[in-house]
Amino acid sequence: MSLPTPRDVIARRRSLILEHDLNGFADLFAAGGVIELPFAPPGMPKRLEGREAIRSFSAGAGTSLMQIEDMWATQVYETTDPEVLIVELETKAVVTTTGVPFQGTSVQVFRIRDGEILLFRDYWNPQGLAEALNH
């Protein structure tokens, strides 16, 4: 049985998030996988280390603030390192407490080895969410 390619893992991630299967999302990560959120707002961690920390965060208040309705890559860049993909992403979501919709953009860097995410670094623009929260 062949392992999924990094592009396969990214496609699976989209499916799991749109199905609201955040447990399955966490399972895409290696046991020692890392999420980095360099532009995380106050109260949100800038770094999560380990699959179980990612699972706990995904099930917690930080992700319950919004419901993702759709997300799509506008560009996927392969690098000279076959484990690394760079993804430009658009996301449509709704603030769960108010029902206000918003659209966000991000640039995401992934390191994926043997079908598991080792690193997911998300450079997301918080402006769309901030505007929706202040609506």
Side-chain angles (χ1 to χ4, degrees):
M1 180 169 120
S2 66
L3 293 170
T5 68
R7 281 184 181 259
D8 293 339
V9 173
I10 298 302
R12 181 74 181 133
R13 175 190 75 131
R14 179 182 185 273
S15 295
L16 290 166
I17 289 172
L18 294 180
E19 293 165 6
H20 310 293
D21 183 353
L22 299 179
N23 197 45
F25 166 76
D27 287 339
L28 292 175
F29 287 81
V34 172
I35 292 179
E36 292 180 352
L37 304 165
F39 302 133
M44 184 178 276
K46 291 190 180 296
R47 182 176 173 93
L48 298 163
E49 294 186 42
R51 183 187 302 132
E52 295 314 311
I54 292 165
R55 188 181 318 281
S56 293
F57 174 76
S58 296
T63 57
S64 64
L65 178 65
M66 65 178 174
Q67 173 107 14
I68 294 174
E69 295 185 333
D70 198 4
M71 57 189 275
W72 61 96
T74 57
Q75 290 288 333
V76 177
Y77 303 95
E78 294 182 359
T79 68
T80 56
D81 182 336
E83 295 181 349
V84 176
L85 287 179
I86 300 169
V87 178
E88 293 181 24
L89 192 78
E90 294 284 334
T91 303
K92 278 187 167 180
V94 173
V95 176
T96 55
T97 55
T98 63
V100 174
F102 70 95
Q103 188 161 325
T105 60
S106 62
V107 174
Q108 301 176 335
V109 179
F110 291 88
R111 177 170 295 280
I112 300 169
R113 180 182 304 141
D114 298 331
E116 294 183 315
I117 301 171
L118 300 177
L119 173 66
F120 167 36
R121 187 175 294 133
D122 191 1
Y123 296 96
W124 62 285
N125 179 351
Q127 184 176 356
L129 177 59
E131 289 173 0
L133 289 172
N134 291 324
H135 189 265

